Amino acid sequence: MLPSSGVYYFPWEINSSVPEGEALRTFGRLCFYDLARSKAVLTAQHSSAQYRVCVDTKFVEPFQAQLGSRYMVLGEVEHREGEGPVVKARILTCVEGMNVPLLEQAIQEQRKYFHERQE
């Protein structure tokens, strides 16, 4: 059986309310990567706040980390004591040059479509 394709979450929506094991997709700029600990941090700006998403990179190593570049991650959420939610990456792709406002609009449209379809 194939794993779930993952629901899109904006980086500012990833918090302790996301269920453990939930497959998700999100994006952000790579601001930190530690190969020895298999840890990366993506950041994203929304309104006037900066949001951080911790990523466990154990399953996608080795990869050419380009600090400052935009990445998209697909993985499962794991809640860790003292860290909050961590995305265990199955896929981590550099998407530098992606039109973020257009992606955000597409995610909103997809959510609207799924909501209308369930009614």
Side-chain angles (χ1 to χ4, degrees):
M1 181 151 118
L2 293 174
S4 171
S5 61
V7 175
Y8 271 106
Y9 279 84
F10 293 117
W12 49 92
E13 296 174 332
I14 299 174
N15 54 40
S16 58
S17 67
V18 177
E20 178 94 18
E22 167 101 349
L24 65 79
R25 294 172 184 257
T26 194
F27 58 90
R29 288 214 178 268
L30 183 65
C31 72
F32 174 81
Y33 176 58
D34 183 349
L35 175 63
R37 293 184 358 203
S38 297
K39 181 178 179 180
V41 177
L42 302 179
T43 60
Q45 189 83 22
H46 179 65
S47 298
S48 61
Q50 180 97 351
Y51 294 88
R52 298 168 52 90
V53 177
C54 291
V55 179
D56 183 330
T57 59
K58 193 179 312 170
F59 299 137
V60 295
E61 291 173 344
F63 75 100
Q64 292 288 325
Q66 298 173 20
L67 292 178
S69 292
R70 194 172 308 279
Y71 280 80
M72 185 170 287
V73 62
L74 166 64
E76 287 78 30
V77 174
E78 180 179 272
H79 295 284
R80 296 184 182 170
E81 297 254 348
E83 281 188 74
V86 174
V87 179
K88 293 185 74 167
R90 276 192 269 140
I91 299 173
L92 185 63
T93 307
C94 183
V95 291
E96 189 59 35
M98 177 181 66
N99 186 334
V100 175
L102 193 57
L103 174 65
E104 290 178 8
Q105 181 183 349
I107 292 169
Q108 295 291 5
E109 288 295 321
Q110 182 186 51
R111 288 177 177 180
K112 184 175 143 188
Y113 169 75
F114 286 147
H115 180 72
E116 289 172 357
R117 199 172 76 173
Q118 287 179 342
E119 291 179 346

